[in-house]
């Protein structure tokens, strides 16, 4: 389930949680821009025993790759074989998707800040959403968050 109206430190955010397992989740928050070409935001992962945050993921205005990826997954609600994945240009956020019987999509959200630096760390969590409506809602919520539009 997604929560587009959620607020994190009084700012708009999107939170993705597994239905029935609210302790596992991903939050997009702290959106800001330096210029007209990019949007910067933080991604937080949570699971029992894990809290991880990347402070400055960058989405380029001309490259709506994450939005398009999520919208394509939502449109393909009847399923697909194998794994699909996308990552940001800086490779600090990767999303992988698998379709399982029963109409569920497993989204593995992996963060890895400064992938070229020594001593790099990474973390990931997997959320499960129903194909179709829940995926379409997620895609719309992420689009609204990244573009600054109100639903």
């Amino acid at each position: 389930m997604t929560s587009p109206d959620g607020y994190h430190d009084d700012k708009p955010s999107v939170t993705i949680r597994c239905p029935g397992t609210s302790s596992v989740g991903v939050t997009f928050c702290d959106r800001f821009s330096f210029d007209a070409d990019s949007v910067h935001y933080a991604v937080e992962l949570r699971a029992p025993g894990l809290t991880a945050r990347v402070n400055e993921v960058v989405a380029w205005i001309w490259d709506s790759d994450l939005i398009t990826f999520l919208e394509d997954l939502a449109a393909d609600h009847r399923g697909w074989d194998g794994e699909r994945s996308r990552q940001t240009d800086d490779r600090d956020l990767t999303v992988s998707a698998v379709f399982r019987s029963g109409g569920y999509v497993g989204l593995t959200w992996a963060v890895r800040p400064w992938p070229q630096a020594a001593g790099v760390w990474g973390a990931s969590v997997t959320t499960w959403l129903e194909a179709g409506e829940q995926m379409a809602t997620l895609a719309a919520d992420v689009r609204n968050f990244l573009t600054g539009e109100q639903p």
Side-chain angles (χ1 to χ4, degrees):
M1 310 273 295
T2 62
S3 173
D5 298 327
Y7 282 81
H8 184 274
D9 295 334
D10 297 326
K11 296 178 185 174
S13 65
V14 173
T15 299
I16 302 103
R17 289 188 188 90
C18 288
T21 311
S22 63
S23 62
V24 176
V26 178
T27 299
F28 287 69
C29 56
D30 298 336
R31 179 189 184 280
F32 67 96
S33 293
F34 288 119
D35 54 43
D37 294 328
S38 64
V39 173
H40 301 245
Y41 58 98
V43 177
E44 297 178 349
L45 307 181
R46 286 173 320 287
L50 171 73
T51 302
R53 178 181 168 112
V54 174
N55 285 320
E56 209 170 318
V57 176
V58 179
W60 297 99
I61 299 304
W62 61 83
D63 180 18
S64 61
D65 206 27
L66 178 60
I67 295 169
T68 302
F69 177 67
L70 294 173
E71 289 173 343
D72 288 348
L73 294 177
D76 208 358
H77 64 276
R78 296 190 191 274
W80 61 86
D81 292 325
E83 180 180 273
R84 296 179 179 179
S85 65
R86 290 289 185 274
Q87 61 182 315
T88 59
D89 287 342
D90 294 334
R91 295 181 288 154
D92 46 5
L93 172 65
T94 302
V95 182
S96 301
V98 294
F99 187 87
R100 294 290 184 244
S101 62
Y104 284 89
V105 177
L107 296 168
T108 299
W109 307 85
V111 294
R112 187 175 176 190
W114 320 291
Q116 303 302 320
V120 70
W121 61 268
S124 66
V125 298
T126 300
T127 57
W128 291 90
L129 298 175
E130 293 177 3
E133 189 61 36
Q134 286 184 352
M135 282 301 304
T137 298
L138 171 61
D141 292 348
V142 170
R143 173 179 286 285
N144 292 338
F145 175 77
L146 291 178
T147 62
E149 298 174 4
Q150 297 299 317

